[in-house]
C-alpha cells in the first residue's frame, strides 16, 4: 500500500536534547512538508521541500532543521533552540507544489518535552 | 494575505441530524479549497476538494460547494453518524505559485447515538 509513515507515534524528550522525527513516503511524490499542530489551532508550516537536496523555511522554522537526501525521506530535527517543542507534528507529501496538487498526510508524531 | 475562518466548535449533534460547518475564506485570485478530517490521535485525511467556482466536492455523504460570490465553502452532510465524530479543517491553496496550504482552526464534531 502506498502512503506516508511517521515514527515514532509518541516521543518524549528532556529539555536541552535534540530529537529527530522520521517521515517516509512511497508515493513517488516530489514535494514533502512538515507541519506543527497545537491544541485548538490550525496547522502551521515548518519546512517544505520541492525536490531532493532542496528545502525552504515555512512560517515557523526557528528551532527546527531538515534534510532531503532521498526522495522518500524528509526527517525533521527539533533542536534545543525550539522554545516550546511540545506539539503534534505532521508530515505531508504531494506530487508537486502547484495549487492543484493535493497534500496527503501521515499519522503524526506527538512530541512531549519533559 | 490568505486566510480561512471556520465556525467554532464543538458542534454537538444526534445521529441522523443534518450537519453544516461554515467556512469562509480570504484570498487573492482563485484558490483551491479543501476539507480535511482528523480522527482522534491520527493525521489528516483529505475529505473533499474543489478547484474552481461552483465546483461541488463530495465524498462519503459530505458535500461542499465553492461559492466565489460569498467566498464560502461550507461542509454539509444530510445524516451524520457517530463515526463522523472528528475535527474538520477547511483549507485553501493558491492556484498559482507554491501550494502553501492555509488552514482554519478546525471544528470539532461530536455525534451522539
Amino acid at each position: 500500500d502506498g502512503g506516508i509513515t511517521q515514527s515514532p507515534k509518541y516521543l518524549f524528550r528532556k529539555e536541552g536534547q535534540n530529537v529527530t522525527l522520521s517521515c517516509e513516503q512511497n508515493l513517488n511524490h516530489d514535494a514533502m512538508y512538515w507541519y506543527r499542530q497545537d491544541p485548538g489551532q490550525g496547522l502551521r508550516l515548518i519546512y517544505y521541500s520541492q525536490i531532493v537536496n532542496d528545502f525552504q523555511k515555512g512560517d515557523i522554522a526557528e528551532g527546527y532543521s531538515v534534510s532531503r537526501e532521498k526522495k522518500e525521506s524528509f526527517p525533521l530535527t527539533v533542536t534545543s533552540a525550539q522554545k516550546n517543542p511540545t506539539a503534534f507534528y505532521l508530515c505531508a507529501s504531494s506530487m508537486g507544489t502547484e495549487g492543484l496538487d493535493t497534500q496527503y498526510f501521515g499519522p503524526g508524531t506527538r512530541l512531549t518535552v519533559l | 494575505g490568505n486566510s480561512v475562518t471556520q465556525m467554532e466548535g464543538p458542534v454537538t449533534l444526534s445521529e441522523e441530524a443534518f450537519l453544516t460547518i461554515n467556512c469562509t475564506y480570504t484570498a487573492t485570485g482563485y484558490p483551491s479549497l479543501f476539507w480535511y478530517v482528523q480522527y482522534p490521535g491520527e493525521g489528516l485525511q483529505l475529505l473533499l476538494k474543489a478547484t474552481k467556482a461552483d465546483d461541488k466536492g463530495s465524498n462519503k455523504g459530505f458535500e461542499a460547494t465553492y461559492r466565489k460570490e460569498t467566498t464560502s465553502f461550507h461542509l454539509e452532510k444530510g445524516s451524520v453518524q457517530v463515526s463522523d465524530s472528528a475535527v474538520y479543517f477547511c483549507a485553501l491553496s493558491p492556484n498559482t505559485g507554491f501550494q502553501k496550504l492555509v488552514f482554519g482552526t478546525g471544528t470539532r464534531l461530536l455525534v451522539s447515538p
Side-chain angles (χ1 to χ4, degrees), chain B residues 9-90:
Chain B
V11 173
T12 304
L13 295 173
S14 298
E15 208 164 22
E16 298 183 3
F18 184 86
L19 169 71
T20 300
I21 299 179
N22 289 340
C23 171
T24 56
Y25 67 90
T26 302
T28 53
Y30 303 99
S32 292
L33 300 172
F34 305 83
W35 277 102
Y36 283 86
V37 57
Q38 184 177 36
Y39 298 101
E42 298 184 11
L44 273 67
Q45 299 176 23
L46 177 67
L47 183 58
L48 53 85
K49 71 177 184 180
T51 58
K52 61 183 187 297
D54 299 324
D55 265 2
K56 177 185 281 189
S58 61
N59 185 26
K60 301 180 182 179
F62 290 90
E63 291 183 342
T65 301
Y66 190 139
R67 300 282 187 206
K68 177 169 166 287
E69 62 276 12
T70 54
T71 61
S72 65
F73 193 55
H74 304 321
L75 182 68
E76 297 182 336
K77 187 175 185 184
S79 176
V80 292
Q81 305 300 311
V82 172
S83 58
D84 293 327
S85 298
V87 179
Y88 293 82
F89 289 93
C90 184

Side-chain angles (χ1 to χ4, degrees), chain A residues 30-35 44-51 54-59 74 92-101 103, chain B residues 2 28 31-32 34 92-102:
Chain A
D30 285 321
M32 298 186 74
Y33 312 79
W34 274 106
Y35 292 89
R44 293 182 289 169
L45 182 64
I46 304 172
Y47 267 97
Y48 65 96
S49 168
Q50 295 177 274
I51 198 167
D54 182 64
F55 50 83
Q56 307 293 333
K57 292 181 179 180
D59 298 322
F74 191 41
S93 70
S94 62
M95 184 67 71
T97 54
E98 294 300 316
L100 298 178
D101 292 314
Q103 290 187 25
Chain B
N2 298 331
T28 53
S32 292
F34 305 83
L92 70 78
S93 169
N95 270 341
T96 57
F98 168 59
Q99 186 230 36
K100 177 181 171 180
L101 273 177
V102 176

Side-chain angles (χ1 to χ4, degrees), chain A residues 9 19 26 31-32 42 60 67 70 72 74 77 87 91 94 101 103 112:
Chain A
K9 189 171 176 66
V19 63
N26 61 5
M32 298 186 74
I60 55 165
S67 62
K70 296 188 298 182
E72 312 81 56
F74 191 41
T77 297
C91 179
S94 62
D101 292 314
Q103 290 187 25
T112 302

